[in-house]
Amino acid sequence: MNVTLWIVQIILALGFVYSGWMKTILIESSKKTWAWVNDVPKSLVVLIGIAELLGALGLVLPWALNIAPVLTPIAAIALAVLSHCLECCFIFGVKSTGSLA
């Protein structure tokens, strides 16, 4: 069970690292990949990317280093909340002004 949990954590972390990297460093490439990036302010996209990068680190590092392992489930919950909020933006739509519809 522990090995399975580690595999899932690492796969999730890699996914969030990729997504966060695209939103913070490769912002122009993100505009081509995800249409919604053109509809929201660049600062919001970068903020989301930074949150994803920090969350990915929080999924793996606290438990791996055995330093405050309670932070791992907190990071997982924070990433789930972030993903849910972004999902709501897609459901309700985002206007070209960057505000919710």
Side-chain angles (χ1 to χ4, degrees):
M1 180 66 179
N2 198 22
V3 173
T4 305
L5 184 60
W6 271 109
I7 291 170
V8 170
Q9 280 179 250
I10 291 170
I11 290 172
L12 282 172
L14 289 175
F16 279 110
V17 164
Y18 172 74
S19 179
W21 182 265
M22 289 285 290
K23 291 176 187 139
T24 54
I25 307 299
L26 304 174
I27 192 78
E28 294 304 318
S29 178
S30 295
K31 289 180 180 180
K32 296 173 188 171
T33 307
W34 299 304
W36 66 269
V37 174
N38 296 317
D39 297 334
V40 296
K42 181 180 177 181
S43 58
L44 179 61
V45 175
V46 171
L47 179 67
I48 292 168
I50 291 170
E52 288 177 346
L53 288 171
L54 292 175
L57 291 175
L59 280 177
V60 177
L61 289 182
W63 203 351
L65 300 176
N66 201 22
I67 300 172
V70 71
L71 293 177
T72 297
I74 292 172
I77 291 169
L79 283 171
V81 168
L82 176 68
S83 296
H84 178 70
C85 289
L86 294 174
E87 183 179 315
C88 288
C89 287
F90 284 119
I91 290 172
F92 296 116
V94 178
K95 291 183 179 180
S96 60
T97 61
S99 61
L100 289 176

